[in-house]
Amino acid sequence: MDRRDFLKASGIFWVGAAGPYALRLVSSSQASTAPMPPRPDRRRWGMVIDLTKCAPECTACLDACRKENNVALHGDRRWDIYWIRKVTLKKNHAASSRQISLPLLCNHCDEPPCAQVCPVQATYKRPDGIVIVDHHRCIGCRYCMIACPYNARYFNYKENHDWPNKNFPKRSHGVAESCTFCAHLLEAGKRPACVEACEKMYAQAMLVGDLN
C-alpha cells in the first residue's frame, strides 16, 4: 500500500491546521478530545507561509538556509541536500492558469512518523515541537526517510567540504536530517535564517512563532 493508505489504516488522518501552509498528523483518538491548555512556560514553535507573497523566482530562503546550516550542495542531484525546496503548482495546464510557488520543508509533525520508526531514537521531538536528529546516535538506516509523508528528509551520502558558517557544525556524513527551524537561532532569541531572508526581500511570506 502507499503512504496515504498506510496512514489511514493505522488510524492517522490528515488535518489542515490554521494558515495557508500548515499540515500536521493527528491520531483519531486525539481528534475526539479537547486540546490541552497551553503551558505558559513552554513554547511550541510553528511556521506559516503565505503563498500569495511567495515569488516563484525567489530563492532567498533556500540560499539563507544553506549558508546558515552548512547544507550540502555538491552540484549533483544524486547528492544534493534541500532542507527547503520550492515547487511551482498550477491548477491546470492552461496557459492562463495561475501559478503558485510552494516552499516545502519539514512540517515538524505533532506525532512525527520519522521519530516513531527510528530504531535508535536518534530522531526525536523536543518539548518545543521541533523534530531534530542526534547525529551521534543516527546509524544511517534511513527508515525516517521512508516514513516521512512529505519527502522532507535527506541523507548525507557525502561530506560537505564547504563550511560557510563557522559558528555552526558541518553536516555529518552518513546521517539523515531535515529542517530544524534553525533551533540554534531560536534558542538565542533570533528567527530562522529563511524567515530573516524572506523579510529582507520585502516579501514577508514566512512567519515563525509560538503556537501557544
Side-chain angles (χ1 to χ4, degrees), residues 4-184:
R4 188 177 297 274
D5 292 335
F6 173 77
L7 292 175
K8 289 180 180 178
S10 60
I12 300 175
F13 57 93
W14 299 99
V15 174
Y21 175 62
L23 294 174
R24 58 178 180 166
L25 291 172
V26 181
S27 68
S28 55
S29 60
Q30 284 182 316
S32 60
T33 61
M36 293 291 293
R39 287 179 50 179
D41 60 333
R42 178 175 294 177
R43 290 184 175 180
R44 179 167 168 258
W45 295 109
M47 179 181 288
V48 175
I49 301 178
D50 187 347
L51 301 182
T52 63
K53 297 181 179 180
C54 184
E57 66 278 1
C58 180
T59 61
C61 59
L62 282 72
D63 300 335
C65 177
R66 289 194 181 281
K67 184 177 180 180
E68 177 64 34
N69 298 288
N70 300 316
V71 179
L73 185 62
H74 301 288
D76 189 327
R77 293 182 61 184
R78 296 175 298 174
W79 319 121
D80 288 346
I81 307 296
Y82 294 92
W83 283 16
I84 305 177
R85 53 193 171 96
K86 293 185 71 173
V87 297
T88 301
L89 303 180
K90 295 182 65 175
K91 186 175 181 179
N92 51 51
H93 295 288
S96 59
S97 177
R98 179 172 173 265
Q99 294 186 352
I100 298 177
S101 181
L102 177 64
L104 301 176
L105 60 156
C106 176
N107 280 261
H108 299 275
C109 305
D110 284 345
E111 296 182 3
C114 55
Q116 295 172 8
V117 302
C118 182
V120 295
Q121 297 181 333
T123 297
Y124 62 95
K125 186 178 183 68
R126 304 192 332 176
D128 59 5
I130 297 177
V131 178
I132 206 162
V133 180
D134 185 343
H135 290 188
H136 300 288
R137 296 182 66 93
C138 180
I139 59 175
C141 67
R142 287 165 278 178
Y143 285 172
C144 59
M145 296 174 62
I146 299 173
C148 178
Y150 302 105
N151 291 325
R153 285 248 154 166
Y154 286 86
F155 187 75
N156 286 328
Y157 289 97
K158 299 173 62 177
E159 182 178 354
N160 184 17
H161 297 291
D162 295 331
W163 196 3
N165 184 8
K166 296 297 190 297
N167 296 321
F168 194 73
K170 279 187 177 182
R171 309 282 20 100
S172 302
H173 167 240
V175 301
E177 58 186 4
S178 58
C179 164
T180 65
F181 273 176
C182 287
H184 60 291

